[in-house]
Amino acid sequence: MENKTIRGTEATVSTVFFVIMLMTINLLLPANVTGSMPVEKTLTGCVIKGQFFSVTIDSRTNRPVKAYQIRMGQDLDLAAYEGKTVSMTGDLLPGDRFILKRGVRPVVIKGACDNDSISVIRKEFVMEYRVSAYQAAKKMNFAEALILANRALDLDKTLCGTYIDRAHIHYLKGDFASGAADIKWVREGRCADRQDLNFLLLEEIGITLEKAGRKTDAIEIYSMGLDSCRSDMCKETMDRGMKRAMVK
């Protein structure tokens, strides 16, 4: 009966995770990308590692809040613009694909990208590594998954969610000591930013621990999740896991 409950929970986790990812992607995309027709736009952002990132500015604070990696629709060498703030005029297509206007070159706005812009762009690289690490772990390629998770941490050690990601990999691998060390790091507040904690991933970790017979550790995970919940769905999920893990 307990195994059926866990299997049912796993199916629910996978479904909900997929739906939330779709909703998140849709919400994060600029409004002009969600349509099907090209839209003429002038984008401003930074060139980092040969890639152009359009940076969105919060009108209230006048600070960067989000960066979008733009796929150039033509062969354009951006090496001369590396590390600079530039603007480009052209057609923006779905999927963040951008075609530079004929006869127009990128215009340098600043000689260097400001720190706030670099910070939001860095988070894009971090998330790319984290997603790739999760996918590698699901394929049981744990060595590659850990390399990717560590790269994410090398870029930004303040995000608690990255430590949770790495703990998840360790637990799937069966390295419970290393997984517990990452969880302890988060629980003791050694990372500053807890806003990106994914309660669905915490539930996955809890289920992994339950399957391994480590119910006490699972309860600790659910308890930590409850403490950081900011939605009713999160609270219900963590509470359900807690009750299940308490059954002997």
Side-chain angles (χ1 to χ4, degrees), residues 9 199-200 203 222 225-226 229-244:
T9 302
F199 71 88
L200 293 174
E203 185 179 29
Y222 297 134
L226 275 172
C229 278
R230 293 184 294 172
S231 70
D232 290 338
M233 181 181 289
C234 173
K235 292 175 183 177
E236 291 170 4
T237 302
M238 295 297 100
D239 187 57
R240 182 172 61 246
M242 181 90 73
K243 290 177 180 177
R244 185 180 60 243

Side-chain angles (χ1 to χ4, degrees), residues 172-234:
L172 288 176
K173 184 183 176 184
D175 185 352
F176 297 105
S178 295
D182 278 336
I183 294 298
K184 182 179 179 182
W185 191 271
V186 175
R187 193 178 64 249
E188 293 182 350
R190 297 186 185 183
C191 47
D193 190 346
R194 299 175 66 92
Q195 294 184 13
D196 69 333
L197 289 185
N198 184 339
F199 71 88
L200 293 174
L201 188 58
L202 288 173
E203 185 179 29
E204 281 196 41
I205 292 174
I207 290 172
T208 299
L209 290 169
E210 287 181 63
K211 284 183 173 181
R214 306 177 75 94
K215 290 192 174 184
T216 300
D217 293 340
I219 290 171
E220 183 179 274
I221 292 293
Y222 297 134
S223 177
M224 185 177 72
L226 275 172
D227 290 341
S228 61
C229 278
R230 293 184 294 172
S231 70
D232 290 338
M233 181 181 289
C234 173

Side-chain angles (χ1 to χ4, degrees), residues 110-169:
K110 293 181 183 178
C113 297
D114 60 81
N115 290 334
D116 287 340
S117 293
I118 291 175
S119 179
V120 295
I121 291 170
R122 185 185 297 117
K123 285 187 177 182
E124 294 304 304
F125 284 110
V126 168
M127 289 308 300
E128 183 178 334
Y129 283 134
R130 287 173 60 179
V131 170
S132 297
Y134 178 87
Q135 293 170 340
K138 283 298 187 179
K139 295 177 182 177
M140 301 184 71
N141 188 350
F142 301 123
E144 178 67 15
L146 287 172
I147 288 172
L148 292 166
N150 286 330
R151 284 179 182 171
L153 283 171
D154 287 341
L155 287 175
D156 191 341
K157 291 182 171 61
T158 68
L159 299 175
C160 296
T162 311
Y163 291 95
I164 298 295
D165 291 349
R166 192 170 66 177
H168 178 240
I169 298 167

Side-chain angles (χ1 to χ4, degrees), residues 45-53 55 77-88 107-118 121 125:
C46 295
V47 177
I48 303 293
K49 295 184 179 180
Q51 302 172 59
F52 175 61
F53 291 84
V55 177
D77 186 1
L78 296 174
Y81 305 97
E82 182 66 31
K84 298 177 181 179
T85 300
V86 301
S87 69
M88 301 186 189
V107 177
V108 177
I109 305 298
K110 293 181 183 178
C113 297
D114 60 81
N115 290 334
D116 287 340
S117 293
I118 291 175
I121 291 170
F125 284 110

Side-chain angles (χ1 to χ4, degrees), residues 16-28:
V16 174
F17 181 77
F18 179 71
V19 171
I20 287 179
M21 285 296 292
L22 287 178
M23 292 173 63
T24 302
I25 290 171
N26 188 55
L27 287 172
L28 291 180

